[in-house]
Amino acid sequence: METKKRTPWRRWIVLLLMFLGCAAGGGLAGYGLAGIPPVRPEITAAAEKLIAEPIVDNFLGLAPLYLVNTLPTLGLTIVLLILIAYFTNRSLNRSLKTDLVPRGIGNLMEAILEALYNMTEGSAGAKWAKTIFMWFATIMIYVLFANLLKLLPGFESIGVLHPAHGEGFAIRELGGGWSYLLPHQVEEGGFILAPFFRGISVDLNFTVSLALIAVVAVQAIGFRALGLGYLKKFFNFGNVFKVPFFGVIDMGMGILELVSEFAKILSFAFRLFGNMFAGVVLVAVASSLIGFISIVPAMLFLFELFVGVIQAFVFGILTMVFMVMATAGHGHEEEHAPEGSQTEVHEL
Amino acid sequence: MEGSIMEAGRYIGAGLAMLGAAGAGVGVGLSALGALGGMARNPDAYGNLLTSMILGIAFSEAIAIYCLVISFLMLFKVV
């Protein structure tokens, strides 16, 4: 038995690499690579078009379909998720054949999903946990990958140059058809960069569609749990003639509930989009102002990592909470609420 | 002349829009206050309180984010 304490010299390598990374990043982002400070990218709320002409003129008879730069990222995200699912499945199958001990990615995903499932079961109760967990985990993992992918280097920075209609940036040729933007703006003959990749959660289309899916699923689960009685939450006319005063108040509350369902879509969509868009703008502006001190954008990127994880968590957990509320019913039906959801709160 | 008035209006509007962040700051502080008080009284409830606190903070922070988006949209002439 050797109990000699190992000198942790590897830690110093990590620290050294961090310092070197800061220094090299500062040089590259600042003046080292091209002799120019970082360029403030053109900030648009909508995704930029990679090709000016639409690829499908009349998509589903609605509108022209453009190749925007969130589309490649969407493909990348989905391919990545499918690959992770495939390898997890393979790893779990292999462990099923041998000794039932999951290893590698299967173990990791099992740990994550088990924690999430326990969280769902704690607030939804055993009866609905399976149904709700499916939506919760899917949305959460999808949004997590969407949020984290936008932090990769190359996103928002490499792309095609379009001639600007108004003010644009001057460019300098690098050869081989590649050029880079210069930081100063010109009135005429400038260019605007449309990056190849843009994080999908920085596109309002993604967040709105995800919010629609979440809210519609909440209604569907409500109908599954309570049948047509779910509508009583919104159209509560039962008490109007029995107890006129409180009946009218109930009716008003029902209408407010109906409005709040639509407000949920908006708040879901704008919370995610706002956080991610603010992150993009923050990093862009801070890099263009003090980008030559690379620690500042690096710290902002770290903060973006935190925000991305938190927002994915919030999106998922809000879906879960709304679903639990939809299954729990309203008013006197609360005695049938799943066990654990009400009692556990009071015990703590 | 007209252009510079528009410019000034954009900057003033962006600044005014960020006033809403004050309320969000109060909200975040209050939720952290409540959660910390609860954790101090009952350290066993740490995990549950932390989750709820982060949720509450995300709710109030969203308001500041709305303000930030509005002021960005004004500053960068998106709309």
Side-chain angles (χ1 to χ4, degrees):
Chain A
M1 280 289 168
E2 194 169 358
T3 51
K4 198 189 77 167
K5 196 173 171 237
R6 279 169 51 227
T7 37
W9 55 274
R10 287 190 186 85
R11 285 181 201 167
W12 296 102
I13 293 189
V14 172
L15 200 65
L16 193 72
L17 281 178
M18 280 168 74
F19 274 118
L20 278 180
C22 273
L28 289 178
Y31 297 93
L33 181 65
I36 47 165
V39 184
R40 199 190 83 194
E42 186 72 17
I43 292 158
T44 50
E48 296 98 337
K49 290 163 190 154
L50 287 176
I51 307 171
E53 294 84 33
I55 46 173
V56 181
D57 272 328
N58 205 356
F59 187 66
L60 300 179
L62 291 172
L65 180 73
Y66 291 96
L67 180 63
V68 290
N69 53 6
T70 41
L71 219 53
T73 324
L74 185 67
L76 194 68
T77 317
I78 290 173
V79 166
L80 199 66
L81 282 173
I82 289 174
L83 279 181
I84 286 176
Y86 171 73
F87 282 115
T88 310
N89 193 14
R90 212 177 61 165
S91 156
L92 287 179
N93 272 337
R94 195 181 293 155
S95 73
L96 213 61
K97 275 180 205 134
T98 54
D99 53 355
L100 288 176
V101 180
R103 287 189 185 81
I105 192 171
N107 194 10
L108 177 75
M109 293 307 282
E110 193 182 291
I112 294 174
L113 291 184
E114 201 176 344
L116 293 182
Y117 187 79
N118 286 339
M119 193 190 284
T120 319
E121 209 172 18
S123 56
K127 194 183 168 196
W128 289 100
K130 262 187 185 168
T131 323
I132 291 175
F133 171 71
M134 190 178 73
W135 292 98
F136 167 56
T138 309
I139 284 179
M140 186 161 157
I141 292 173
Y142 189 28
V143 176
L144 184 70
F145 273 85
N147 287 352
L148 294 189
L149 262 183
K150 93 180 166 67
L151 299 175
L152 286 184
F155 275 57
E156 305 270 340
S157 49
I158 305 172
V160 288
L161 287 171
H162 289 310
H165 295 299
E167 285 181 351
F169 294 97
I171 61 165
R172 188 183 289 165
E173 292 279 336
L174 272 179
W178 295 87
S179 359
Y180 59 86
L181 290 178
L182 295 174
H184 50 267
Q185 291 195 328
V186 290
E187 292 286 331
E188 286 289 320
F191 287 90
I192 287 178
L193 178 77
F196 287 132
F197 293 109
R198 175 190 167 112
I200 39 178
S201 42
V202 197
D203 192 349
L204 201 52
N205 293 313
F206 171 74
T207 57
V208 167
S209 55
L210 209 58
L212 276 173
I213 290 170
V215 172
V216 169
V218 167
Q219 314 308 321
I221 283 186
F223 276 115
R224 253 182 80 180
L226 305 173
L228 280 181
Y230 181 65
L231 284 177
K232 260 176 79 180
K233 188 174 157 193
F234 305 123
F235 306 103
N236 196 353
F237 302 126
N239 289 335
V240 175
F241 302 109
K242 257 190 284 178
V243 256
F245 182 66
F246 291 105
V248 169
I249 288 180
D250 277 356
M251 208 173 81
M253 288 298 287
I255 289 165
L256 279 185
E257 290 270 357
L258 195 63
V259 172
S260 84
E261 292 299 319
F262 289 100
K264 268 177 205 168
I265 302 176
L266 279 183
S267 79
F268 261 137
F270 279 103
R271 181 178 302 115
L272 185 57
F273 172 74
N275 272 286
M276 293 300 121
F277 182 60
V280 167
V281 176
L282 194 66
V283 168
V285 170
S287 311
S288 69
L289 289 179
I290 39 175
F292 46 88
I293 312 169
S294 72
I295 192 75
V296 176
M299 285 293 140
L300 287 175
F301 262 86
L302 201 60
F303 182 64
E304 281 312 298
L305 189 77
F306 174 71
V307 169
V309 174
I310 288 287
Q311 287 307 313
F313 183 70
V314 164
F315 202 114
I317 217 165
L318 279 182
T319 318
M320 187 187 89
V321 168
F322 289 146
M323 281 176 178
V324 172
M325 276 158 62
T327 54
H330 189 246
H332 60 276
E333 282 167 342
E334 254 170 30
E335 293 102 66
H336 305 302
E339 287 154 35
S341 65
Q342 308 287 322
T343 51
E344 199 173 312
V345 177
H346 295 301
E347 275 167 17
L348 285 170
Chain B
M1 184 61 199
E2 215 168 86
S4 53
I5 288 178
M6 288 284 284
E7 191 96 344
R10 280 215 327 268
Y11 286 120
I12 292 171
L16 284 179
M18 283 313 289
L19 276 182
V26 173
V28 170
L30 279 180
S31 45
L33 168 77
L36 278 179
M39 286 173 195
R41 277 160 198 252
N42 185 2
D44 286 343
Y46 179 80
N48 292 33
L49 285 179
L50 192 72
T51 319
S52 314
M53 185 187 84
I54 287 175
L55 258 187
I57 284 180
F59 269 122
S60 23
E61 195 205 64
I63 295 172
I65 295 288
Y66 298 154
C67 301
L68 195 65
V69 168
I70 297 287
S71 65
F72 277 149
L73 293 183
M74 281 185 195
L75 274 183
F76 299 115
K77 299 187 236 179
V78 177
V79 277

